[in-house]
Amino acid sequence: MNQRLQCEVKSMCGGVEAREADKVWKIYFPNPKAALPVLLEDSGQLDWIRWGRRREQPGSGPEGGWARLCTVQAGGWTKYRPHRAFGLVQRFMEKEGRAGEKNRISHWFDVPEGYALECLVIGEGEQRKVYVITTEPPAEYAWIHDRWPLLTALKVE
């Protein structure tokens, strides 16, 4: 598959699990109120930010909740003036197969301690949206999906 076609695939990482104090939240992208706990790199502030934009939702920003690393590196997100952020989740969920297929199996994966999902935040105030940066899956999981959340180590100071 050529790089251009590969970068146009949109669906992946349909859910995450996050903890806040003693509460565990399962957050699924199809829910229009889905939000992720995000640490903003430039401010060090932790916020719950709406996860992407669904087709039926008004507003600016691309449809979906993901940003391909190849598109980010090629400057495709520059026009949105994104801010680097980290999704503080304990697990993420990948669905086997392609969007629209029936009986897709969900697989949950732990995010290692000290790591987070690499994200972009666009917009201001109540219009902010977070997008999970994706890359190629590890070879052992390529059979599940063609995209994978990019994990990054958090710096401890």
Side-chain angles (χ1 to χ4, degrees), residues 57-76:
Q57 288 179 313
S60 60
E63 263 181 43
W66 310 277
R68 271 213 181 266
L69 180 60
C70 60
T71 305
V72 173
Q73 291 173 332

Side-chain angles (χ1 to χ4, degrees), residues 28-111:
Y28 297 96
F29 179 76
N31 181 336
K33 294 183 179 180
L36 300 179
V38 174
L39 180 65
L40 300 168
E41 180 186 51
D42 50 2
S43 70
Q45 181 178 338
L46 177 65
D47 279 328
W48 282 81
I49 299 176
R50 289 271 168 107
W51 185 5
R53 187 173 72 83
R54 283 124 207 95
R55 181 174 297 134
E56 67 280 0
Q57 288 179 313
S60 60
E63 263 181 43
W66 310 277
R68 271 213 181 266
L69 180 60
C70 60
T71 305
V72 173
Q73 291 173 332
W77 283 77
T78 305
K79 63 186 169 193
Y80 301 111
R81 296 187 318 226
H83 298 277
R84 186 176 186 211
F86 310 101
L88 302 181
V89 302
Q90 280 66 48
R91 301 192 315 153
F92 64 91
M93 186 260 303
E94 293 288 348
K95 279 202 177 269
E96 205 174 305
R98 298 219 172 260
E101 291 178 355
K102 294 189 185 235
N103 303 320
R104 295 173 64 204
I105 298 170
S106 296
H107 301 273
W108 286 90
F109 299 92
D110 292 332
V111 173

Side-chain angles (χ1 to χ4, degrees), residues 4 17 27 76 99 124 131:
R4 185 163 190 273
E17 184 180 284
I27 303 147
E124 299 295 329
Y131 292 82

Side-chain angles (χ1 to χ4, degrees), residues 121-135:
V121 172
I122 65 169
E124 299 295 329
E126 294 298 312
Q127 298 303 310
R128 289 186 305 173
K129 293 174 188 68
V130 61
Y131 292 82
V132 176
I133 297 177
T134 62
T135 189

